[in-house]
């Protein structure tokens, strides 16, 4: 196993194990342009990014973090071990040596969380094991039956408050028409009083087949939207299961999020394709 107590196989530890603190420290080493030592551009090239992609990464404030996110999103063949091997091949043993204790600590925490999730729940005679009744799985939505099967949805809608008018239009077009899809809209469907992050993770991972991401300038400034998007991407590396569907409904002044640029966009801003917009979106959400 990757997280065996005796020896951890870093080649099998996904990149998601590295937290933001380590990624930012990598940026401190790799973001500055060097004439001698390999920088973030050399790492991006080793990861398989082409020249135009690398040039676009010059825009973000922390290109190293952006490259790591995109590498993680575009393929399942990523790991902590591969990252360390690339740095060694680029003669950046200084980074490996300096950050290895922090990386090992992140890996230890990741393995501990995996082990905790794998442990069977405590059983008592009064609890029916066929229907888990933890707070995360029952009584969290308006139509949940705490004594029955959790409410399920066709899609979780990731949006910020300023885009709520478009979410209303989405409800009309997808739920109140012949498509009869069932959307999970947080402000409408989720009961108040529980941890937002716990509920959101439960809904995205176990209750919703897909997630529609409403992209706008305001979305880019939303911590909640950022968490939801990255969590959903971690469930389907490389977007192989078509789990995420980005939607643009109004012009943007800020750059489109690089972490989603490998996904096909449903664009409502183009008048010539608006007639097909809802049909395309509905069929994508209706896939098994």
């Amino acid at each position: 196993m990757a997280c065996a107590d005796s020896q951890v196989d870093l080649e099998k530890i996904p990149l998601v194990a590295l937290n933001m603190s380590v990624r930012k420290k990598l940026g401190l080493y790799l973001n500055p342009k060097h004439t001698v030592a390999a920088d973030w551009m050399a790492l991006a090239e080793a990861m398989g990014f082409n020249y135009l992609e690398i040039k676009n990464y010059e825009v973000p404030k922390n290109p190293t973090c952006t490259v790591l996110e995109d590498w993680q999103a575009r393929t399942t063949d990523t790991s902590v071990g591969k990252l360390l091997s690339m740095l060694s091949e680029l003669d950046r043993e200084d980074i490996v040596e300096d950050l290895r204790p922090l990386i090992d600590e992140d890996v230890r925490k990741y393995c501990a969380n995996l082990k905790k999730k794998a442990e069977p729940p405590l059983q008592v005679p009064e609890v029916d094991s066929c229907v888990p009744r933890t707070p995360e799985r029952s009584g969290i939505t308006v139509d949940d039956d705490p004594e029955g099967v959790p409410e399920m949805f066709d899609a979780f809608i990731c949006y910020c408050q300023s885009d709520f008018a478009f979410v209303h239009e989405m409800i009309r077009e997808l739920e109140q028409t012949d498509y009869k899809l069932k959307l999970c809209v947080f402000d409408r469907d989720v009961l108040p009083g529980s941890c937002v992050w716990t509920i959101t993770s439960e809904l995205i991972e176990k209750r919703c087949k897909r997630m529609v991401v409403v992209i706008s300038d305001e979305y880019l400034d939303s911590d909640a939207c950022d968490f939801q998007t990255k969590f959903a991407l971690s469930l389907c590396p490389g977007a192989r299961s078509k789990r995420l569907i980005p939607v643009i409904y109004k012009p943007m002044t800020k750059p489109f999020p690089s972490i989603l640029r490998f996904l096909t966009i449903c664009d409502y801003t183009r008048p010539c394709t608006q007639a097909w917009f809802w049909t395309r979106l509905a069929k994508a959400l209706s896939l098994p």
Side-chain angles (χ1 to χ4, degrees), residues 71-230:
W71 187 47
Q72 178 180 314
R74 74 189 297 180
T75 177
T76 57
D77 190 28
T78 64
S79 69
V80 174
K82 289 184 184 298
L83 174 62
L84 294 177
S85 296
M86 287 179 182
L87 291 171
S88 296
E89 291 170 4
L90 293 171
D91 294 325
R92 293 309 304 265
E93 292 287 355
D94 59 318
I95 300 177
V96 176
E97 182 178 348
D98 289 352
L99 296 187
R100 187 59 188 266
L102 296 176
I103 292 173
D104 287 344
E105 177 62 15
D106 277 0
V107 170
R108 185 195 66 77
K109 291 179 180 178
Y110 174 82
C111 290
N113 287 333
L114 282 185
K115 184 178 180 180
K116 185 177 180 180
K117 290 180 179 179
E119 291 176 351
L122 179 65
Q123 298 292 322
V124 294
E126 293 78 9
V127 175
D128 180 2
S129 61
C130 295
V131 184
R133 292 192 175 92
T134 60
E136 295 83 3
R137 288 197 56 81
S138 63
I140 66 174
T141 63
V142 173
D143 293 329
D144 251 355
D145 179 2
E147 302 299 324
V149 178
E151 185 179 14
M152 306 300 289
F153 301 88
D154 291 299
F156 181 92
I157 310 302
C158 173
Y159 63 94
C160 62
Q161 292 300 313
S162 61
D163 298 324
F164 200 61
F166 179 72
V167 175
H168 271 288
E169 185 176 356
M170 190 179 295
I171 291 170
R172 289 194 301 270
E173 294 290 341
L174 299 179
E175 287 190 339
Q176 301 169 9
T177 58
D178 291 340
Y179 298 124
K180 295 181 179 179
L181 291 167
K182 191 172 183 180
L183 308 180
C184 181
V185 179
F186 199 93
D187 291 287
R188 179 192 68 175
D189 297 316
V190 177
L191 294 174
S194 299
C195 174
V196 172
W197 309 118
T198 302
I199 292 176
T200 301
S201 302
E202 163 72 17
L203 290 170
I204 294 173
E205 182 177 9
K206 299 176 182 177
R207 304 283 199 97
C208 301
K209 291 193 297 183
R210 286 177 174 79
M211 185 167 89
V212 175
V213 186
V214 181
I215 308 295
S216 65
D217 287 339
E218 293 78 12
Y219 159 90
L220 297 173
D221 296 325
S222 169
D223 290 337
C225 290
D226 182 65
F227 168 79
Q228 293 166 12
T229 302
K230 289 179 179 177

Side-chain angles (χ1 to χ4, degrees), residues 41-62:
M41 290 185 177
L43 180 62
E45 187 176 357
M47 290 174 172
F49 294 97
N50 61 41
Y51 173 78
L52 289 177
E53 290 173 326
I54 293 173
K55 290 297 289 183
N56 282 324
Y57 287 133
E58 293 180 350
V59 178
K61 294 180 179 179
N62 193 332

